[in-house]
Amino acid sequence: MLKSILLASVALYSLAGAVEAQDISAAGISDDIKVLSSDAFEGRGITTPAEQKVIDYMSKGFAAAGFQPGGENGGWTQAVHLRQFVVSDPKLAFNFADGHSLDLKQGADITASTRGALGDVSFDKAPLVFVGYGVTAPERGWDDFKGIDVKGKILVELINDPDFVEPQLMTFGGKAMTYYGRWTYKYEEAASRGAAGVIIIHDADAASYGWDTVRNSWSGPQFDIVRPDPSTASPKLESWMTHETAEALFKAAGLDLADLRVKARSKDFQPVPLNVTLSGGYKVTASEITTHNIIARLPGAKYPDETILFTGHWDHLGICAPQAADKICNGAVDNGTGSATLLELARAFGKAKKPERSIVMIAFTAEESGLLGSEYYASNPVYPLARTVAGINMDALNVNGATRDIVVEGVGQSSLDDMVALYGGKQNRTITPDPRPEAGGFFRSDHFPLVKRGVPMLVAYSGDDMVKGGKAAGEALSKDYTDHRYHQPGDEWSATWDLSGLVEDATLYYQIGEALANSHQWPVWRDTSEFKGARDKSAAERR
């Protein structure tokens, strides 16, 4: 019934009066990406001189499109208050029972970072314990800790969920990652138990990215929202180690890592003390910083207090490889594409008849630091979440050409799926399941802090079934990007891109947003969604 009501409502705003693909400019999007991902913006690192350049460029573009400043105090921004943690001079080593030690090289063997210490960190023979996947899930009858006291210890853990290797177990989400599989959860759980640190064993398949991505993401400054005691949310050591380092560690400890991987997939798994300790330390400089979300608004003509969101993060990793010939992670795809599409959508809405509901564009900061800009906005919304109808988030969009399919992350969660089917069908495209649910994409972008608070958010993008080349071509292009450009200096603008697929996606976003902005219907969560309760509560407040 709810589905039919929503579709009947949006049908009133048919494609006859909506923007078409030819109205979205591939050239405009490409030009904006080229500027935002140029070396002049130095990888769009937050709190660097590049930040003001991004603010100036985006706000100028929004203003030219006819949008108003939508931030605090009549300006274009919302101040986001964070704490920055800089680790320097790390010297760590594993100490074995026979008296020998293994020195760990930052970036080559291990990454040492923290968001849980305000001063220098040292370890004096801190015991290592292998705790499988480090998961406590009472609703699934799962506990990797089995009551052991891990205070002051270093936890060694596997990435992803216990179901990853054997999805047929279906103890968690099968092949689809649950939140328990995310590194954020693993660090949070360890901190809640008083552990001194976590070392995650890297696995390219289970993590969905290679070691270069880990090294570039975790060797620089880390950020968090300002907390009175950061150790309550993060341990003193947040670390990854290479698979090769892990193999050497377990072998020297007289243990079989492959065998323990199998045992960790069972509810009966028992934690394994490694009889190995960690010694050493690093300097930590903690400082409070302010970065900014960029917000633009087109007030609605009839229901201005009801908001449709379009979001995407502007930040990237900055100068991520200082010792390399190419030092800058330019972030052309991630997320120059999303930032440029925000500007192009603003231009499309600015040229159209004024919508009944307000359109708000937000370029979030600090996504690469853990979705912190969107987390801050969701905790301190400029526009009340109870009156935020829905949103569309854009992150790392398609630059490889048109596709026959559309991937919806978190498909089955809300009635927004029906709108994708309706408008995607007009493009002769079909919805396909997330081809890589094990990557946990639904938990990895800026929509998620809003989703947790009940706002229906759509994340939909071109699938792998390319018009030119089919699935084989799409899968190869996706793998090539992940292996060679994602969070690496190679993510640069290219004149050879084919933006026809991105244009179709942007057209889809516009048509869905326009339909929502010109109706008085509210998308709903499915009864099976874990986010329905939060929306039901806010709906009661709205009424």
Side-chain angles (χ1 to χ4, degrees):
M1 180 66 177
L2 286 169
K3 174 181 175 180
S4 62
I5 291 173
L6 180 62
L7 292 183
S9 174
V10 300
L12 294 174
Y13 301 91
S14 69
L15 291 178
V19 70
E20 298 289 353
Q22 63 267 24
D23 298 318
I24 298 291
S25 170
I29 294 172
S30 181
D31 288 346
D32 287 329
I33 298 171
K34 185 177 183 180
V35 173
L36 289 167
S37 63
S38 68
D39 283 357
F41 283 69
E42 295 186 321
R44 302 190 305 281
I46 66 174
T47 74
T48 69
E51 175 162 343
Q52 190 59 51
K53 290 183 179 181
V54 177
I55 293 170
D56 293 344
Y57 188 85
M58 296 290 290
S59 58
K60 182 179 179 180
F62 285 133
F67 276 61
Q68 300 175 2
E72 298 168 325
N73 304 315
W76 290 103
T77 64
Q78 177 191 35
V80 176
H81 304 291
L82 303 178
R83 185 175 276 133
Q84 180 186 58
F85 302 84
V86 177
V87 166
S88 60
D89 199 25
K91 291 182 175 62
L92 297 170
F94 292 140
N95 312 301
F96 299 96
D98 63 3
H100 87 280
S101 62
L102 174 63
D103 292 334
L104 301 168
K105 185 177 179 181
Q106 174 79 333
D109 305 316
I110 198 169
T111 62
S113 61
T114 190
R115 295 171 300 159
L118 297 176
D120 294 352
V121 170
S122 63
F123 301 102
D124 182 14
K125 296 184 177 179
L128 271 63
V129 183
F130 178 65
V131 292
Y133 288 88
V135 171
T136 303
E139 76 282 2
R140 300 170 190 268
W142 195 280
D143 178 17
D144 279 331
F145 293 90
K146 303 296 191 295
I148 69 164
D149 183 2
V150 298
K151 289 180 181 177
K153 296 179 181 179
I154 306 295
L155 308 184
V156 179
E157 304 187 9
L158 302 170
I159 191 61
N160 214 307
D161 290 327
D163 284 3
F164 173 74
V165 178
E166 293 185 80
Q168 65 272 20
L169 295 174
M170 285 303 294
T171 310
F172 286 77
K175 197 68 172 178
M177 182 190 287
T178 68
Y179 189 60
Y180 295 116
R182 288 286 289 146
W183 56 261
T184 49
Y185 166 80
K186 297 176 190 297
Y187 291 153
E188 290 162 2
E189 180 68 18
S192 73
R193 294 174 175 272
V198 176
I199 304 176
I200 296 173
I201 299 172
H202 176 252
D203 178 302
D205 291 334
S208 80
Y209 38 75
W211 181 253
D212 285 348
T213 297
V214 172
R215 181 181 60 230
N216 293 339
S217 301
W218 291 94
S219 295
Q222 302 300 310
F223 300 87
D224 196 6
I225 61 174
V226 174
R227 305 178 193 272
D229 180 3
S231 67
T232 60
S234 303
K236 291 190 295 183
L237 173 66
E238 294 180 321
S239 176
W240 292 68
M241 65 178 161
T242 66
H243 177 75
E244 293 77 14
T245 303
E247 290 278 6
L249 166 65
F250 280 77
K251 183 178 181 180
L255 297 167
D256 185 337
L257 177 56
D259 178 62
L260 288 173
R261 285 181 183 273
V262 174
K263 290 180 178 177
R265 300 199 288 270
S266 168
K267 289 183 180 181
D268 297 329
F269 168 79
Q270 295 287 332
V272 180
L274 299 187
N275 199 23
V276 178
T277 61
L278 180 73
S279 293
Y282 37 85
K283 297 176 181 177
V284 178
T285 302
S287 57
E288 293 188 16
I289 63 167
T290 300
T291 180
H292 299 85
N293 292 326
I294 306 166
I295 308 178
R297 182 172 183 257
L298 184 66
K302 190 173 182 180
Y303 308 111
D305 62 336
E306 297 180 3
T307 297
I308 310 297
L309 288 179
F310 287 86
T311 64
H313 70 94
W314 64 258
D315 67 301
H316 199 56
L317 302 182
I319 299 174
C320 64
Q323 307 306 319
D326 184 356
K327 307 175 188 300
I328 300 173
C329 281
N330 299 81
V333 171
D334 183 16
N335 186 31
T337 55
S339 300
T341 303
L342 282 176
L343 291 172
E344 183 63 20
L345 289 171
R347 289 189 280 266
F349 276 108
K351 290 183 289 188
K353 180 182 176 181
K354 194 170 186 180
E356 295 184 359
R357 285 167 159 162
S358 295
I359 304 293
V360 171
M361 305 274 178
I362 308 180
F364 286 121
T365 186
E367 189 271 355
E368 301 291 7
S369 302
L371 316 183
L372 298 181
S374 56
E375 177 65 33
Y376 191 90
Y377 180 89
S379 300
N380 306 275
V382 177
Y383 303 98
L385 299 188
R387 303 199 70 80
T388 299
V389 177
I392 298 172
N393 186 59
M394 295 164 285
D395 193 353
L397 303 180
N398 172 23
V399 297
N400 298 317
T403 68
R404 299 183 182 92
D405 58 344
I406 307 163
V407 172
V408 178
E409 289 186 353
V411 68
Q413 288 278 5
S414 81
S415 60
L416 291 174
D417 296 352
D418 302 324
M419 300 188 75
V420 178
L422 175 66
Y423 290 102
K426 299 290 185 178
Q427 298 176 335
N428 297 315
R429 296 202 290 170
T430 59
I431 296 178
T432 60
D434 186 345
R436 299 171 66 235
E438 66 276 12
F442 193 61
F443 313 111
R444 287 174 56 178
S445 197
D446 282 319
H447 63 287
F448 193 61
L450 293 154
V451 163
K452 287 193 295 185
R453 291 161 174 85
V455 178
M457 294 290 295
L458 177 66
V459 182
Y461 49 85
S462 298
D464 285 337
D465 190 4
M466 308 294 297
V467 171
K468 298 178 181 179
K471 290 184 178 180
E475 290 170 357
L477 288 164
S478 178
K479 185 177 187 303
D480 181 68
Y481 173 74
T482 300
D483 290 348
H484 301 119
R485 284 178 286 285
Y486 175 60
H487 282 202
Q488 298 175 60
D491 188 3
E492 297 184 305
W493 175 87
S494 173
T496 65
W497 282 346
D498 179 352
L499 298 187
S500 58
L502 197 162
V503 166
E504 281 199 318
D505 290 347
T507 302
L508 180 77
Y509 304 149
Y510 180 92
Q511 290 170 345
I512 292 173
E514 183 198 39
L516 289 172
N518 288 298
S519 80
H520 204 45
Q521 299 300 319
W522 291 73
V524 294
W525 294 103
R526 309 294 189 195
D527 289 340
T528 53
S529 173
E530 60 267 45
F531 309 111
K532 183 177 183 295
R535 190 54 153 184
D536 289 346
K537 182 179 178 180
S538 69
E541 295 171 1
R542 185 170 70 246
R543 288 191 294 269

